[in-house]
Amino acid sequence: MSDRPAPDPPARLTRWEQRTEVPLFAAGLLFLTGYAVRVLAPRDAEPWHDIALILVWSTWLLFLVDYATRLHLSGLGARFVPVRWLDTLVLLLPLLRPLRMVQVYLAVQRRRDRPRLNLYARVMAYAGLTAVLLGFAASLAVYHLERAAPGASIRTFGDSAWWACATLTTVGYGDAAPVTFWGRVVAAGLMAGGLALLGAVTGSFSSWLIQVFTREDEKRPPERD
């Protein structure tokens, strides 16, 4: 048996998050694919509806295992829920999993001693992909909720996709809007997510520029009187 002390929980949690980042991202894509089939496929498209349902529930169980592992490794106990509220939110609402990109942005912000372009470029690229996925997820959810609602202006998936683009970019033409309660809840979440993603992109780019300029100033020889 080794006499080396066990790593502290935050270190173990960090390693777990680094190792599962890509697999969980792939699982999120599978979840979104299954949900898309459930929403967009015709009602008589069997066995695709059943396969999609199995895919949705199996990936959600994977998210649940990951959440339980994070809870155990964090050492926070019941405090994990409020401290890591975003992890809790995306477990309850898996369509919001793209918003976990905000945690990547915060991790980069803590590494101010390493102003490498690839770190910030990774955040900006991930934010762009996240915006697409979040918009697609919101389009599916709103189409599912609105298509049969009385007085709805969103009747087709094309209408929903157009609405998501206008909302995510904060343009808001107003020609299509949710009329149901849950549809408006999704809309509010998409607005908040769009602002968070925009802040992540602009914040990362600004931080990188500031640090580069700071280094350039430090390299300049002092001015002579």
Side-chain angles (χ1 to χ4, degrees), residues 114-137:
R114 302 177 63 186
R116 297 185 302 172
L117 176 60
N118 61 342
L119 289 175
Y120 294 101
R122 181 185 178 191
V123 171
M124 288 183 280
Y126 195 13
L129 179 59
T130 296
V132 173
L133 293 176
L134 189 63
F136 181 59

Side-chain angles (χ1 to χ4, degrees), residues 34-199:
Y35 182 70
V37 172
R38 292 284 298 177
V39 173
L40 299 177
R43 295 184 180 274
D44 58 350
E46 298 295 347
W48 297 112
H49 276 281
D50 294 334
I51 294 175
L53 184 61
I54 293 172
L55 188 61
V56 165
W57 279 108
S58 59
T59 49
W60 187 83
L61 287 176
L62 182 62
F63 300 150
L64 181 61
V65 171
D66 172 67
Y67 184 85
T69 304
R70 291 169 187 264
L71 174 62
H72 172 70
L73 295 178
S74 68
L76 295 174
R79 291 184 297 130
F80 181 84
V81 175
V83 171
R84 302 295 294 268
W85 61 270
L86 187 56
D87 289 333
T88 306
L89 179 63
V90 299
L91 175 67
L92 299 176
L93 300 172
L95 288 177
L96 296 179
R97 287 196 69 83
L99 287 180
R100 292 191 70 252
M101 191 281 308
V102 176
Q103 292 182 339
V104 178
Y105 167 67
L106 295 176
V108 171
Q109 287 293 88
R110 288 193 293 267
R111 303 174 68 175
R112 296 181 179 276
D113 58 325
R114 302 177 63 186
R116 297 185 302 172
L117 176 60
N118 61 342
L119 289 175
Y120 294 101
R122 181 185 178 191
V123 171
M124 288 183 280
Y126 195 13
L129 179 59
T130 296
V132 173
L133 293 176
L134 189 63
F136 181 59
S139 299
L140 290 172
V142 166
Y143 173 58
H144 186 203
L145 295 166
E146 295 286 318
R147 57 185 171 182
S153 58
I154 300 175
R155 294 291 186 180
T156 67
F157 181 69
D159 293 338
S160 184
W162 169 254
W163 163 83
C165 291
T167 303
L168 195 59
T169 56
T170 67
V171 175
Y173 286 108
D175 54 343
V179 297
T180 64
F181 171 77
W182 289 113
R184 290 173 176 174
V185 170
V186 173
L190 185 60
M191 294 174 194
L195 292 175
L197 293 172
L198 181 62

